């Protein structure tokens, strides 16, 4: 009698670990599927071939010559000719879907032109290393992203923090005053998406040129 009760208890205790094994197996399956998707992206090679020259001089002239770009089948932009020189303020105005973002995407080589070429200081942008090209251009997108790090790291944006440069950038963006009013100044920790900054403050902050 005693031993059969022990046996039944033992059988009862076996079920829980078996059930747990089942749920672990399904979690492993999820992880395998997710990592396959991640590695598929990581293994992709870019069609954009990097240049070899370093763009280390200031940009004084940007020229679009007969530039066209199509996504899949249809053209987003066709035969664009535009030249602008240092000191110009240019506004591209047009309907949503008119190709404004596409224009900027090509300048930064997120996409290469299908026809025509883009020149910076009379040199085809394809000749430059993408790293140096992107280093010379500050892009403020519609969607502001603030990293969960110190305010100074957000301004330095991946570069080593040089406090003087960070302050100079903040000053140029008219942001130094409010930053110095914060408890830890430029070392104030930002919450993800800048949750501890107001909307306007976020935008000003992200206007700071990161490549002084
Ligand atoms: N990555 C993409 N893949 C396919 N089509 C795109 C892509 N990006 C933009 N488009 C299309 O290209 C056209 C221009 O878009 P876009 O440059 O974003 O215009 P804008 O910035 O002026 O609103 C639109 O028709 C848009 O649907
Ligand atoms: Mg756009």
């Amino acid at each position: 009698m005693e031993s059969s009760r022990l046996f039944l208890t033992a059988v009862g205790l076996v079920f829980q670990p078996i059930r747990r094994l089942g749920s672990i197996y399904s979690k492993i399956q999820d992880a395998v599927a997710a990592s396959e998707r991640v590695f598929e992206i990581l293994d992709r090679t870019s069609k954009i071939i990097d240049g070899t020259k370093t763009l280390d001089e200031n940009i004084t002239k940007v020229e679009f010559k007969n530039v066209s770009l199509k996504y899949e089948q249809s053209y987003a932009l066709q035969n664009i000719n535009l030249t602008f020189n240092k000191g110009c303020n240019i506004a591209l105005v047009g309907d949503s879907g008119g190709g404004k973002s596409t224009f900027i995407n090509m300048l930064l080589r997120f996409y290469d032109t299908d026809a025509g070429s883009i020149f910076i200081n009379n040199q085809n942008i394809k000749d430059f290393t993408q790293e140096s090209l992107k280093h010379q251009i500050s892009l403020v997108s519609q969607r502001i992203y603030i990293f969960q790090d110190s305010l100074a790291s957000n301004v330095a944006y991946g570069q080593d923090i040089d406090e003087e440069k960070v302050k100079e950038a903040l000053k140029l963006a008219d942001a130094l005053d409010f930053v110095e009013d914060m408890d830890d100044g430029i070392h104030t920790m930002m919450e993800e998406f800048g949750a501890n900054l107001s909307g306007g403050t976020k935008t000003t902050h992200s206007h700071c040129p990161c490549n002084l």
Side-chain angles (χ1 to χ4, degrees):
M1 192 60 197
E2 189 59 26
S3 61
S4 66
R5 201 183 302 152
L6 276 176
F7 176 73
L8 285 176
T9 312
V11 168
L13 287 173
V14 161
F15 282 118
Q16 197 60 22
I18 291 178
R19 214 179 292 156
R20 235 183 267 159
L21 268 182
S23 81
I24 288 174
Y25 182 73
S26 90
K27 274 188 197 149
I28 290 175
Q29 288 300 316
D30 284 351
V32 168
S35 60
E36 271 171 12
R37 266 179 259 160
V38 169
F39 282 114
E40 188 190 321
I41 305 270
L42 290 180
D43 289 343
R44 278 190 194 177
T45 50
S46 173
K47 283 186 210 139
I48 294 174
I49 299 160
D50 212 8
T52 51
K53 281 195 177 164
T54 306
L55 175 61
D56 49 13
E57 60 199 37
N58 288 337
I59 297 176
T60 51
K61 187 172 157 196
V62 177
E63 208 174 353
F64 280 61
K65 274 193 188 162
N66 290 318
V67 170
S68 302
L69 182 121
K70 62 170 181 272
Y71 294 109
E72 285 130 38
Q73 301 307 321
S74 56
Y75 278 96
L77 287 174
Q78 243 178 321
N79 286 328
I80 302 296
N81 286 289
L82 244 179
T83 304
F84 39 101
N85 294 304
K86 187 181 172 193
C88 287
N89 288 319
I90 305 267
L92 300 173
V93 184
D95 291 339
S96 186
K100 304 178 293 293
S101 298
T102 302
F103 186 89
I104 298 300
N105 286 343
M106 289 190 295
L107 182 61
L108 284 153
R109 290 198 78 196
F110 294 138
Y111 290 91
D112 266 344
T113 58
D114 288 304
S117 304
I118 303 169
F119 299 87
I120 284 181
N121 299 350
N122 300 319
Q123 179 93 42
N124 195 318
I125 57 167
K126 288 186 182 173
D127 297 340
F128 296 125
T129 63
Q130 290 175 77
E131 192 189 348
S132 68
L133 178 73
K134 285 168 184 152
H135 184 76
Q136 292 289 356
I137 299 174
S138 294
L139 172 71
V140 181
S141 68
Q142 283 161 303
R143 204 172 338 138
I144 308 298
Y145 194 90
I146 289 179
F147 296 95
Q148 194 170 13
D149 202 335
S150 71
L151 191 142
S153 325
N154 272 279
V155 175
Y157 214 76
Q159 298 174 33
D160 291 336
I161 298 171
D162 174 333
E163 291 199 9
E164 285 314 306
K165 278 190 179 175
V166 167
K167 284 188 181 161
E168 201 184 329
L170 287 167
K171 202 168 158 191
L172 283 171
D174 260 339
L176 192 58
D177 287 347
F178 80 74
V179 171
E180 284 181 337
D181 282 346
M182 293 170 127
D183 288 344
D184 296 316
I186 61 167
H187 302 294
T188 307
M189 286 304 289
M190 297 289 101
E191 285 168 23
E192 204 168 345
F193 303 115
N196 53 342
L197 292 176
S198 73
T201 313
K202 250 184 279 184
T203 321
T204 325
H205 174 191
S206 64
H207 270 79
C208 300
C210 53
N211 49 4
L212 282 172

